[in-house]
Amino acid sequence: VHVALGRGAEFDAIRRLLARWGDSARGIGNDTSALDVPPGHRMVASTDTSVEGVDFRREWLTPSEIGYRATAAALSDLAAAAASPLGVLLAITVPTNWREALEGVADGAGQAARAAGATVLGGDLTAVTGPGMLALNVTVLGSVPHPITRTGARVGDHVYVTGVIGGPARALRAWLDGTDPQPADRARFARPAPRIREAQWLAERGARAAIDVSDGLVADVGHIAAASGVRIAIDLGLVPRVSGVTAIDAAQSGEEYELAVIAPGGIDVSDFAAAFGIPLTDIGHVTEPASTRAGAGVETYCDGKRVDPPGGYDHFSS
Ligand SMILES: [Mg+2]
């Protein structure tokens, strides 16, 4: 399934990774990787970078978890389009102090790809001499007849969110406070689950716009509002959250990789829960088109009273 590789330390490293990936990788060793898209589908592509010290710290996660998390986070963008994953390209920058951990990182990346039905199609290893930060860039390719975007929300549509949120933010807070997170919160941070099949189920039931929750639920629904040119109302009290987390903390918890989906009302949420073992919750609706009086955006309510929307995570805000 692979092209024979030449001699040298870099190719030895790649051979070790291929041995670990087994049939999770295919067609590696040429300059490019060719792939087929099913008839009637469009290809969708997305890329995501995880950098030590920015997206994670080495002492929080195992090398395998670092690879898994970076790859799952990238695959989550395919879920937002309701696409089927085809392949993953991994570019890893490896300083000397990470060389021993490279196989673990690759193991985790391969596991995340396999779990989503994707194949590792290629990548790039850059060895940096001396100590430094690990960086992983993960490019994902998928296909879907009609990709869901952020632009399709219409007045009267409902806002649904998958899963139960708040765990990753609480794990992060525990680490930053110097304590160990609860195991369930840690697992949600270390091994996020891209909602690939859930998105396809929702697309079949008329989902019109979607986003994966990476900056925080309210901030991400705000991206849909902006892209669709609408105003959206969310009841924070309805946001499904892990016990002990406030509605505000849940609404701004980032890196959840759950989906916020805009769809006509009436979706059978108990069917969804029975199919996937996680809840689907209706938390609000699209109220009106953006106007000069009220621009596109999100209004948040708690117990029927309007409250200030919680902020989200913005890489460039400071
Ligand atoms: Mg995204």
Side-chain angles (χ1 to χ4, degrees):
V1 293
H2 303 296
V3 173
L5 301 169
R7 280 191 262 182
E10 180 184 347
F11 300 104
D12 290 341
I14 294 170
R15 269 185 281 269
R16 285 197 298 276
L17 301 191
L18 292 180
R20 302 186 78 95
W21 284 331
D23 60 7
S24 297
R26 174 166 54 80
I28 290 180
N30 280 311
D31 292 288
T32 62
S33 183
L35 63 166
D36 297 315
V37 178
H41 280 226
R42 301 185 72 196
M43 177 173 281
V44 293
S46 181
T47 195
D48 197 50
T49 300
S50 293
V51 180
E52 182 187 4
V54 177
D55 298 285
F56 63 89
R57 291 192 192 162
R58 187 169 190 165
E59 58 269 27
W60 294 350
L61 300 173
T62 66
S64 170
E65 287 168 341
I66 289 165
Y68 194 101
R69 183 169 185 271
T71 306
L75 288 162
S76 178
D77 282 324
L78 295 181
S84 301
L86 291 170
V88 169
L89 300 160
L90 290 172
I92 313 179
T93 305
V94 193
T96 312
N97 53 319
W98 278 92
R99 292 233 181 128
E100 296 294 311
L102 177 61
E103 287 169 51
V105 172
D107 270 352
Q111 286 164 19
R114 179 188 286 265
T119 307
V120 180
L121 296 172
D124 183 48
L125 284 181
T126 304
V128 176
T129 305
M133 299 292 195
L134 182 78
L136 292 98
N137 176 262
V138 186
T139 298
V140 292
L141 303 169
S143 82
V144 57
H146 303 287
I148 295 183
T149 66
R150 300 177 180 183
T151 64
R154 297 184 204 167
V155 173
D157 285 347
H158 287 236
V159 182
Y160 294 92
V161 62
T162 64
V164 179
I165 64 178
R170 194 163 60 183
L172 195 57
R173 180 158 304 167
W175 275 314
L176 294 174
D177 288 347
T179 60
D180 287 330
Q182 300 173 32
D185 291 345
R186 187 185 184 286
R188 288 276 300 142
F189 185 94
R191 292 175 72 91
R195 301 302 187 189
I196 305 279
R197 290 185 309 120
E198 292 85 345
Q200 290 164 359
W201 188 98
L202 287 158
E204 285 163 14
R205 285 155 184 82
R208 279 203 264 262
I211 192 165
D212 61 318
V213 177
S214 54
D215 297 343
L217 178 61
V218 169
D220 285 315
V221 172
H223 298 317
I224 292 181
S228 295
V230 295
R231 296 190 60 73
I232 295 175
I234 289 178
D235 184 338
L236 295 180
L238 297 178
V239 170
R241 56 192 195 268
V242 292
S243 80
V245 167
T246 68
I248 297 283
D249 283 350
Q252 61 188 355
S253 173
E255 296 168 333
E256 291 283 341
Y257 305 112
E258 295 295 347
L259 297 176
V261 175
I262 309 292
I267 288 186
D268 190 333
V269 296
S270 40
D271 259 16
F272 180 95
F276 302 111
I278 56 169
L280 179 71
T281 311
D282 184 343
I283 59 166
H285 64 286
V286 182
T287 56
E288 58 181 333
S291 65
T292 47
R293 181 184 59 81
V298 177
E299 285 166 17
T300 45
Y301 294 83
C302 217
D303 298 323
K305 288 195 208 71
R306 183 128 175 222
V307 294
D308 286 340
Y313 184 72
D314 182 344
H315 281 278
F316 289 95
S317 65
S318 54

